[in-house]
Amino acid sequence: MSRQLLIHTGAYRDSVSLMQLSRRIAEEPGVRSALVAMATELNLELLAGMGFDQPPAASANDMVVAVEADDDAALEAALSKLDVLLAERAGAPGDGSASDTLPRTIRTAAYGATLALISTPGWYAAADAFEALDAGLDVVLFSDNVPLGQEIALKEAAARRGLLVMGPDCGTAVVAGVGLGFANVVRPGPVGLVAASGTGAQHLMCLLDSAGLGISHCLGVGGRDLSASVGGRSTLAALDLLAADPATDRVVVVSKPPGPLVAAAIRERIGGLDVPVD
């Protein structure tokens, strides 16, 4: 068995693309396990679970690559494949490739779009989300570590524009049959989900699919949305959107029990909806 741990200092990539890379490398012949990720605390714990020592002085701005393979040849082939994939995604500046022509801002990329999926570090994510809202886009904010005050400001801004912010830390969503983040492949159906728990939403989607039902949309709202501070802002907005959706006949809210004030606001909103809510 062969294994190797590499650190790419200052080589930031968004977590969604790195998860895709991890999966591609793990599927290479002879590879037993692979992790390509930013060196966040959570990912370093995953690294330890794979049996690798924690890299010295690695920060959340560094990319870690850990690969375990059957032998040296398989390991070398997997790392070479990763180099190719990283180069394809980055492009070569100045050669007329995609990196010279791709939009550099959300606003310039938003032509014809209706939704933005944002997966940037928490201290940048709010700015990107505000830009998406200004461009008229609903937002799936996959990023975590977004300060509470910024979350509230984002959701207030979304409400003024008639838009929805899903997240921060929205790891699961399904919009019109398109899975975003950690989404399950399930049949379409009449049930809309509003979820403050990604794993809870995934479990319920699978149960509905097994029961012969399906979902219209799953709108994640982030784990803090039903706190007293945030006040269920995205939950209430999501309920309104699903109530107006002709493909949705019933709505289920998935969450830990909210506080009394937030629960009262949700009950009041549910009373005015035209679809049953569980």
Side-chain angles (χ1 to χ4, degrees), residues 60-143:
N61 292 319
D62 302 331
M63 185 195 304
V64 296
V65 176
V67 180
E68 183 177 87
D70 290 338
D71 51 42
D72 290 344
L75 177 63
E76 183 178 352
L79 293 175
S80 297
K81 177 70 171 183
L82 177 61
D83 289 340
V84 171
L85 294 174
L86 287 171
E88 287 177 352
R89 289 175 179 268
D95 64 357
S97 64
S99 60
D100 290 312
T101 57
L102 286 175
R104 295 182 178 274
T105 66
I106 293 174
R107 180 176 291 279
T108 55
Y111 181 77
T114 59
L115 183 146
L117 171 60
I118 294 174
S119 177
T120 51
W123 52 93
Y124 302 123
D128 293 334
F130 274 118
E131 185 181 354
L133 292 174
D134 287 340
L137 304 177
D138 294 306
V139 172
V140 177
L141 192 49
F142 188 88
S143 308

Side-chain angles (χ1 to χ4, degrees), residues 15-28 31 33-37 64 66 82 85 89:
S15 58
V16 174
S17 67
L18 292 183
M19 283 188 291
Q20 294 171 338
L21 287 175
S22 296
R23 181 176 178 180
R24 291 281 299 277
I25 298 305
E27 292 173 345
E28 288 295 300
V31 173
S33 61
L35 176 68
V36 186
V64 296
L82 177 61
L85 294 174
R89 289 175 179 268

Side-chain angles (χ1 to χ4, degrees), residues 5-222:
L5 173 64
L6 301 173
I7 307 296
H8 296 270
T9 304
Y12 175 78
R13 299 292 178 91
D14 74 88
S15 58
V16 174
S17 67
L18 292 183
M19 283 188 291
Q20 294 171 338
L21 287 175
S22 296
R23 181 176 178 180
R24 291 281 299 277
I25 298 305
E27 292 173 345
E28 288 295 300
V31 173
R32 297 187 177 190
S33 61
L35 176 68
V36 186
M38 301 308 295
T40 62
E41 183 177 348
L42 175 60
N43 289 330
L44 292 179
E45 291 178 2
L46 294 176
L47 196 67
M50 295 170 62
F52 286 89
D53 294 332
Q54 182 168 330
S59 76
N61 292 319
D62 302 331
M63 185 195 304
V64 296
V65 176
V67 180
E68 183 177 87
D70 290 338
D71 51 42
D72 290 344
L75 177 63
E76 183 178 352
L79 293 175
S80 297
K81 177 70 171 183
L82 177 61
D83 289 340
V84 171
L85 294 174
L86 287 171
E88 287 177 352
R89 289 175 179 268
D95 64 357
S97 64
S99 60
D100 290 312
T101 57
L102 286 175
R104 295 182 178 274
T105 66
I106 293 174
R107 180 176 291 279
T108 55
Y111 181 77
T114 59
L115 183 146
L117 171 60
I118 294 174
S119 177
T120 51
W123 52 93
Y124 302 123
D128 293 334
F130 274 118
E131 185 181 354
L133 292 174
D134 287 340
L137 304 177
D138 294 306
V139 172
V140 177
L141 192 49
F142 188 88
S143 308
D144 60 2
N145 296 320
V146 176
L148 177 61
Q150 293 183 0
E151 176 177 350
I152 295 171
L154 279 169
K155 293 180 175 181
E156 289 177 342
R160 292 193 296 270
R161 294 164 173 79
L163 298 170
L164 176 66
V165 171
M166 290 178 264
D169 198 19
C170 176
T172 297
V174 177
V175 178
V178 178
L180 302 167
F182 299 98
N184 300 79
V185 178
V186 295
R187 72 189 74 201
V191 182
L193 308 184
V194 180
S197 168
T199 53
Q202 292 176 63
H203 187 197
L204 182 55
M205 281 191 281
C206 292
L207 290 175
L208 290 169
D209 184 82
S210 297
L213 296 172
I215 68 164
S216 55
H217 312 276
C218 174
L219 305 180
V221 296

